[in-house]
Amino acid sequence: MTDFKQEQDMEIEALEAILMDEFKEIHPGESGLNTSSRCFQIKVVAQDDDTDGPITNPAQLALIFSHTERYPDEPPLLNLKSLQGIHIEDLRILKEKLLQEASENLGMAMIYTLVTSAKEWLSDRFCQDSVDGSTEVEEAAKDDIVIPHGEPVTVETFLAWRERFEAELALERAKLMPESVLTAPKEKKPSGRQWFESGRAKGVAAVNEESDLEDEEDIDFDEDDFEDDDEEDMLEHYLAEKSDSSAHSSRRAS
């Protein structure tokens, strides 16, 4: 014969060891249950599947139960209270769900199983709404963000831009200059005055050269005049002719 009282006491000890501060005994008058037997309250908070601790969520409830005489061969007495953020209609829906699971687990200790099911229900019911709300807020925030276009201006980017601008400006100026000036080495490029003076010097040199040619053409040597003279006579004659030519050039110059 099954000792229901012993099984119930063993379950209470196990729940106290597992749930610790979340588990406590309350007065039957506080339970809302129609019983004078021992009543217990378990605080249930939504829990994230990826973490060991509770998530940040305001929804909390109290699962209140009391063992019947033939528990676990018959369902326990159950009641739910909102500790924070849960409506009465949500409590009614969850209570129906837990009573259904209790009837499916008859013959074994089931309180911890019901607590786990309540935590999962809270996570699905309230945490999903919280995630959806956060997503909407994030999407609205993205719409308000003005995404800057282009490259941000820094000292390095400004110096690089100025170098490119000066190079392009120098290129445009170079297109307007004569090709001879561009191809000449820098140290050999004449100034305007140097170019003018060099042109005058070339003109004067050309005039002097013409004068010398004319003077040389004026000197006429006759071979018959020097056939019988010796070298000294020829030299004296040449010097005399040259002297006359120089005098003639001097008079023309004056």
Side-chain angles (χ1 to χ4, degrees):
M1 184 176 178
T2 304
D3 189 349
F4 296 111
K5 182 70 166 88
Q6 182 180 5
E7 289 192 14
Q8 294 170 10
D9 291 341
M10 291 176 60
E11 183 179 42
I12 296 299
E13 291 179 4
L15 291 173
E16 287 178 337
I18 296 172
L19 300 175
M20 301 177 67
D21 294 339
E22 296 178 353
F23 180 86
K24 68 179 181 178
E25 186 174 357
I26 62 174
H27 191 274
E30 300 176 3
S31 65
L33 300 174
N34 187 19
T35 183
S36 58
S37 301
R38 297 176 68 187
C39 297
F40 303 92
Q41 175 178 303
I42 300 173
K43 181 181 179 180
V44 180
V45 181
Q47 181 172 320
D48 194 342
D49 295 336
D50 297 332
T51 61
D52 295 334
I55 63 174
T56 303
N57 190 286
Q60 301 177 6
L61 63 83
L63 188 153
I64 301 170
F65 73 94
S66 178
H67 291 141
T68 59
E69 291 183 1
R70 295 181 58 82
Y71 176 88
D73 286 352
E74 61 183 18
L77 299 176
L78 292 177
N79 190 24
L80 298 176
K81 287 184 179 180
S82 173
L83 297 178
Q84 185 172 316
I86 303 178
H87 298 293
I88 296 177
E89 181 63 21
D90 291 328
L91 293 176
R92 184 188 66 80
I93 294 172
L94 177 58
K95 184 176 180 179
E96 291 180 358
K97 180 180 185 300
L98 296 179
L99 290 174
Q100 177 64 30
E101 290 188 9
S103 63
E104 295 172 355
N105 288 276
L106 295 176
M108 64 182 71
M110 66 184 75
I111 299 300
Y112 187 77
T113 301
L114 299 179
V115 170
T116 302
S117 180
K119 286 185 177 182
E120 292 176 353
W121 184 87
L122 284 178
S123 298
D124 294 340
R125 174 67 179 83
F126 293 97
C127 296
Q128 185 63 37
D129 293 342
S130 177
V131 171
D132 293 342
S134 299
T135 303
E136 292 177 0
V137 172
E138 291 177 359
E139 292 296 331
K142 289 180 181 179
D143 294 338
D144 295 337
I145 295 175
V146 178
I147 301 176
H149 298 281
E151 183 180 356
V153 178
T154 62
V155 175
E156 292 76 9
T157 57
F158 173 75
L159 293 177
W161 170 84
R162 188 176 68 176
E163 184 176 354
R164 291 194 302 269
F165 174 77
E166 291 178 350
E168 293 175 357
L169 185 62
L171 181 61
E172 291 298 327
R173 291 176 177 175
K175 292 179 180 179
L176 303 176
M177 298 178 67
E179 184 176 358
S180 59
V181 176
L182 294 176
T183 56
K186 183 176 180 181
E187 61 275 7
K188 294 184 178 180
K189 292 179 182 179
S191 63
R193 180 176 180 179
Q194 291 174 337
W195 179 84
F196 177 74
E197 291 180 349
S198 63
R200 292 183 58 189
K202 289 180 180 178
V204 173
V207 172
N208 292 337
E209 195 172 337
E210 283 184 15
S211 299
D212 293 341
L213 288 175
E214 290 178 359
D215 292 341
E216 290 181 359
E217 290 177 358
D218 292 340
I219 301 174
D220 189 12
F221 293 98
D222 190 357
E223 294 182 358
D224 295 337
D225 295 337
F226 301 101
E227 287 182 355
D228 299 329
D229 295 335
D230 55 11
E231 293 181 0
E232 292 182 0
D233 293 336
M234 292 176 63
L235 180 58
E236 292 177 358
H237 182 76
Y238 173 76
L239 292 175
E241 291 289 341
K242 189 65 176 176
S243 177
D244 294 338
S245 176
S246 297
H248 177 67
S249 298
S250 301
R251 287 194 301 271
R252 291 182 58 183
S254 61

